[in-house]
Amino acid sequence: MKRLLTVLALAAVLAFAAAPASAKTLRLAVDADPVSLDPHVQLSGGMLQYSHLVFDPLVRWNQEMGFDPRLATKWERIDDKTMRFYLRKGVKFHSGNEFTAKDVAWTLDRLKKSIDFKGLYEVFEPAVVVDDYTVDLKTKVPYPLLINMATYLFPMDSKFYTGKDETGQDKGVIGKTGPAFANTHASGTGPFTVAEREQGVKMIFKANPNYWGSRGNVEEIDMRPIKNEATRVASILSGDVDFIMPVPPQDYDRLDSADNVDLITMPGTRVIMFQLNQKRNKALANPKVREAIVYATNNAGIVKKILKGRGTAAAQQSPKGYQGYVADLKPRYDLKKAKALMAEAGYPNGFEATMIAPNNRYVKDEQIAQAFVSMMARIGIKVNLKTMPKAQYWDQFDARAADIQMIGWHSDTEDSANFTEYLAVCPNKETGAGQYNSGEYCNPKVDELVALANSETDLDKRHEQLQEIERILNADAAFVPLHWQDLSWASGKNLENARKVVNVMNYPYFGDLVMK
């Protein structure tokens, strides 16, 4: 199997090399391609990267963590529950349909139905169409992050997605686990259209000839998923590709010293963790067992040895600079204490647990999972690990298929509360709360504090609420914190402004890219 994967990876690189080296064709190598053409199927970095190519948000983050106008030209607070957005005129979807406020309202309504997104948008009321180019976004309670959430509202072509497909199914259906029109058809307002797609093999994007705004000069993006890290690195060093993401930590120095490559890195805010399912495995319901697992996890060692220092060991969800960050929470590796806690919990000889992790989603995810298995063996816990590609992993994750599961999370709102409302509040299928809380952790006090923080406009009070959440999660050993993952990209010298199109959200704005 390993030989087969290597051959396939090599074939992907050869396909790049065989393609005409047009000065305006970006040859892009990624670790995994988007799972769908529907931006609402999955809330993930890969899908949001795709959304910025084919769709446009109302506003978007810039490198200074401010907001730039996109489909909205300006916005203003009408009252503490309402923000008015003035929309750009003359914008066309890829289908040729005109973009209006009705598309914004239709998209928000669809987001509230998405399994992955509805937790984020549960606080929103239906959008109010004021006129064709003015729309009000309203919330049920005063909400301090409304403008943040506008960065994830990518208006879809409501006319294009309305009606029945050839099977008689509604075109607007979100097909997370089954076939749907939107999974294979796309009409956005973005700088690129989808010209060709072969899942797991390649995606070809063509420049939108009717794009509303200024843009770079890339006419085509040839995106290929190359899972094998060594092959991906070799492809940029040889000049067969123009841009790769991510860069494996062990190759940072090599690429940094290469004459024909620019290595681009920045501290990241994506936290990587293991969740412990308290319903599947009786032992994991014991807080002392969970605490023992945290004490037995040498996450600083993982950062040093496996990530080659390109990450920051974590003891909480919130990275430094976020409102919930608590400076005195430190990684707590102590094997002696871990063994004592196992004995106190009534498991001096340990127990067995199942575990799943992806092998192509996070930096060194499989190696980290394997290291964790070895660490758990030292306190008597026999972990049966199964790893799999990202495309297979998320269905298993959603099904809570194992006692221990890996998850990484970058805050969608660039705010501490987002970590908690998805990863740590009591799971609720109706509201979408705790959608990625595969540990089934539930503490009503945490839920109460999140609700308060999400409606608190006094930033000092909100700061205290978010910090209290982190302290509770730490005390409960609600999850096993690993690290905040550094971000990394590598570009060829033929890209003039690669450093300006990347950001801490890890959504490169390739529509702005300029090639020599």
Side-chain angles (χ1 to χ4, degrees), residues 13-14 77 152 178 181 190 209 236 240 246 254 283 290 323 325 346-347 349 426 441 447 450 476 486 502:
V13 174
L14 291 174
R77 272 282 182 186
Y152 298 97
F181 178 82
I236 190 76
D240 288 329
R254 182 184 176 195
R290 299 197 303 272
Q323 279 201 307
Y325 177 75
Y347 294 93
N349 300 316
C426 303
Y441 170 80
D447 287 37
V450 171
D476 285 350
D486 275 10
V502 299

Side-chain angles (χ1 to χ4, degrees), residues 10 31 40 88 136 172 194 206 226 249 284 286 306 472 496:
L10 180 59
D31 56 348
H40 299 165
R88 199 173 296 277
D136 289 346
V194 178
K206 297 284 188 181
I226 301 179
L284 299 178
N286 189 318
I306 298 178
I472 292 172
E496 292 187 5

Side-chain angles (χ1 to χ4, degrees), residues 254-328:
R254 182 184 176 195
L255 291 180
D256 202 23
S257 61
D259 293 335
N260 64 329
V261 175
D262 281 332
L263 175 69
I264 307 169
T265 63
M266 64 175 62
T269 58
R270 180 182 300 279
V271 68
I272 309 296
M273 66 174 66
F274 292 122
Q275 295 177 331
L276 310 173
N277 196 309
Q278 301 176 36
K279 290 187 176 180
R280 277 184 55 98
N281 192 312
K282 176 184 173 183
L284 299 178
N286 189 318
K288 287 190 176 181
V289 168
R290 299 197 303 272
E291 193 175 4
I293 290 173
V294 173
Y295 273 102
T297 304
N298 184 2
N299 55 347
I302 288 172
V303 169
K304 181 179 180 181
K305 295 182 179 180
I306 298 178
L307 299 183
K308 309 299 183 184
R310 306 285 186 163
T312 306
Q316 56 194 300
Q317 304 168 115
S318 300
K320 188 175 182 180
Y322 275 44
Q323 279 201 307
Y325 177 75
V326 181
D328 60 3

Side-chain angles (χ1 to χ4, degrees), residues 226-437:
I226 301 179
K227 173 187 169 183
N228 184 276
E229 293 178 338
T231 306
R232 199 163 63 244
V233 169
S235 69
I236 190 76
L237 286 169
S238 66
D240 288 329
V241 305
D242 305 303
F243 195 96
I244 67 171
M245 58 183 192
V247 177
Q250 69 271 17
D251 290 305
Y252 281 11
D253 293 341
R254 182 184 176 195
L255 291 180
D256 202 23
S257 61
D259 293 335
N260 64 329
V261 175
D262 281 332
L263 175 69
I264 307 169
T265 63
M266 64 175 62
T269 58
R270 180 182 300 279
V271 68
I272 309 296
M273 66 174 66
F274 292 122
Q275 295 177 331
L276 310 173
N277 196 309
Q278 301 176 36
K279 290 187 176 180
R280 277 184 55 98
N281 192 312
K282 176 184 173 183
L284 299 178
N286 189 318
K288 287 190 176 181
V289 168
R290 299 197 303 272
E291 193 175 4
I293 290 173
V294 173
Y295 273 102
T297 304
N298 184 2
N299 55 347
I302 288 172
V303 169
K304 181 179 180 181
K305 295 182 179 180
I306 298 178
L307 299 183
K308 309 299 183 184
R310 306 285 186 163
T312 306
Q316 56 194 300
Q317 304 168 115
S318 300
K320 188 175 182 180
Y322 275 44
Q323 279 201 307
Y325 177 75
V326 181
D328 60 3
L329 292 181
K330 305 292 185 182
R332 39 184 169 167
Y333 175 61
D334 186 330
L335 190 56
K336 183 177 180 181
K337 185 164 186 176
K339 291 178 178 178
L341 283 165
M342 287 291 285
E344 290 176 27
Y347 294 93
N349 300 316
F351 57 90
E352 284 196 37
T354 57
M355 176 179 173
I356 59 173
N359 56 24
N360 68 343
R361 175 61 187 94
Y362 310 114
V363 176
K364 294 296 181 182
D365 42 17
E366 185 171 31
Q367 294 92 323
I368 291 167
Q370 291 168 343
F372 177 77
V373 170
S374 297
M375 292 172 186
M376 292 306 101
R378 296 172 188 167
I379 58 172
I381 301 177
K382 181 183 178 181
V383 178
N384 300 305
L385 170 65
K386 181 180 180 181
T387 64
M388 63 199 78
K390 165 188 171 182
Q392 300 171 20
Y393 181 70
W394 292 116
D395 284 345
Q396 294 293 299
F397 181 94
D398 290 340
R400 311 293 195 252
D403 303 332
I404 304 171
Q405 301 190 163
M406 176 183 275
I407 182 72
W409 199 263
H410 166 258
S411 172
D412 303 296
T413 55
E414 300 302 327
D415 178 78
S416 295
N418 180 261
F419 290 111
T420 309
E421 59 193 354
Y422 268 90
L423 303 176
V425 300
C426 303
N428 186 319
K429 291 183 179 180
E430 291 185 6
T431 65
Q435 171 68 22
Y436 287 87
N437 178 1

Side-chain angles (χ1 to χ4, degrees), residues 43 48 57-61 67 77 83 85 104 107-108 111-112 116-124 137-139 143-155 411-415 417-418 421-422 454 462:
L43 178 55
L48 288 164
L58 292 180
V59 300
R60 80 179 184 190
W61 295 100
F67 303 102
R77 272 282 182 186
M83 185 171 283
F85 289 84
V104 177
T107 302
L108 177 59
L111 280 165
K112 289 170 70 66
D116 277 34
F117 283 89
K118 66 182 180 181
L120 278 176
Y121 287 94
E122 195 277 332
V123 70
F124 281 74
L137 296 188
K138 304 175 72 70
T139 55
Y143 186 51
L145 304 176
L146 193 154
I147 186 64
N148 300 49
M149 291 311 305
T151 66
Y152 298 97
L153 205 165
F154 294 83
S411 172
D412 303 296
T413 55
E414 300 302 327
D415 178 78
N418 180 261
E421 59 193 354
Y422 268 90
N454 279 343
R462 193 167 187 274

